[in-house]
Amino acid sequence: RHGADYFRRWHREKEHSGGLMVHKSSHHFDLVNWWLGARPAEVFGYGRLGFYGRAAGERSGYRREYERAHGAAAAQDDPFALDLAANDALRSLYLDAEGVDGYHRDRNVFGDGVTIEDDMALLVRYDAGATMTYHLTAYSPWEGYRVMFNGTRGRLELEVEESAWQPSLLGTSSGRGTIHGDQALANAGGPRLVLRPLWEPPREVELPAFDHAGHGGGDERMLEVLYGPVDPAAAAGA
């Protein structure tokens, strides 16, 4: 769902977003730079549009004939269609504001005008000597990431499963969290960290409880850095 959402809105147009390598993957690259304490020295990349857009949708059979979901009969049985009117937050933030800004948040992901890639790969050499292979798939049936480090003493494997599977958008109920990721869904997964030392059996490393709300707890930490700790009395409405 998260991947598809970039293809409903302005991100789908390369001239406006720069593509997902800029808009999404840059966060991942920042993490790797931090983990390695290094910066890229040489990069090779490849990307393609193979799932979203009109041509791919016609090949797969997912294509429906509508420009945007709101008011379109053809979108009623489309599991990729976003019903802005069925979600309180999305309706007030986007649908009710269209008369002012003209912004359509619910375009057909298999429509015309998709100019960004949905499948991207990189090979990177860092100035400290490490190399990285990277792949971003914007149409995966699950949401999360896997990171593996191979070193002189073994291998470290991190898997963060943010959602184990993605339900269709058909029947999306009103409320918050189902689209924007500010609350955990019923299909939420979790993290797993495995250490594989040389000459020893692998062992799982115990991790603190994973906070699904607010981008893994990152939103709350970022706001605290910017604005200071939250006053419990104020948060409770006292």
Side-chain angles (χ1 to χ4, degrees):
R1 176 178 296 174
H2 199 171
D5 210 33
Y6 291 112
F7 294 83
R8 298 187 186 102
R9 40 189 171 146
W10 61 271
H11 307 80
R12 66 196 251 160
E13 299 162 354
K14 179 68 75 74
E15 62 179 306
H16 294 135
S17 69
L20 292 180
M21 278 289 176
V22 173
H23 190 84
K24 184 68 175 177
S25 299
S26 55
H27 303 309
H28 304 154
F29 302 150
D30 284 343
L31 276 173
V32 175
N33 293 350
W34 177 50
W35 285 331
L36 296 179
R39 291 185 175 275
E42 195 171 12
V43 180
F44 299 90
Y46 172 79
R48 71 184 185 109
L49 179 63
F51 186 83
Y52 299 108
R54 173 182 285 273
E58 290 176 347
R59 287 196 304 269
S60 65
Y62 287 131
R63 164 77 183 169
R64 303 287 195 280
E65 291 296 334
Y66 67 91
E67 175 61 28
R68 60 170 306 192
H70 184 65
Q76 295 302 310
D77 66 343
D78 183 1
F80 291 90
L82 177 61
D83 187 355
L84 296 175
N87 184 283
D88 293 338
L90 296 182
R91 182 177 61 251
S92 61
L93 187 60
Y94 297 107
L95 191 60
D96 294 347
E98 287 182 0
V100 177
D101 58 22
Y103 177 44
H104 291 172
R105 174 69 170 74
D106 59 345
R107 286 188 284 176
N108 187 350
V109 299
F110 300 107
D112 295 314
V114 178
T115 55
I116 64 171
E117 301 85 1
D118 56 25
D119 192 276
M120 293 140 278
L122 288 181
L123 178 61
V124 184
R125 179 178 62 83
Y126 287 84
D127 56 12
T131 59
M132 176 183 73
T133 57
Y134 174 88
H135 202 115
L136 176 67
T137 304
Y139 50 90
S140 177
W142 72 293
E143 186 174 354
Y145 58 90
R146 296 186 178 103
V147 184
M148 285 75 174
F149 295 92
N150 295 301
T152 56
R153 297 187 180 182
R155 176 181 171 95
L156 190 64
E157 302 174 351
L158 171 65
E159 177 176 287
V160 178
E161 191 176 67
E162 296 171 357
S163 58
W165 60 281
Q166 290 296 316
S168 76
L169 289 179
L170 294 176
T172 297
S173 60
S174 297
R176 301 175 67 245
T178 56
I179 305 297
H180 289 286
D182 61 349
Q183 297 176 3
L185 298 175
N187 56 323
R192 184 170 184 258
L193 182 63
V194 177
L195 176 64
R196 299 182 182 275
L198 291 175
W199 328 122
E200 298 177 25
R203 58 181 180 269
E204 189 164 341
V205 179
E206 185 176 352
L207 296 172
F210 184 69
D211 186 356
H212 285 277
H215 295 92
D219 289 358
E220 183 177 343
R221 292 180 177 89
M222 180 179 66
L223 291 173
E224 185 170 320
V225 169
L226 293 173
Y227 303 111
V230 176
D231 182 350

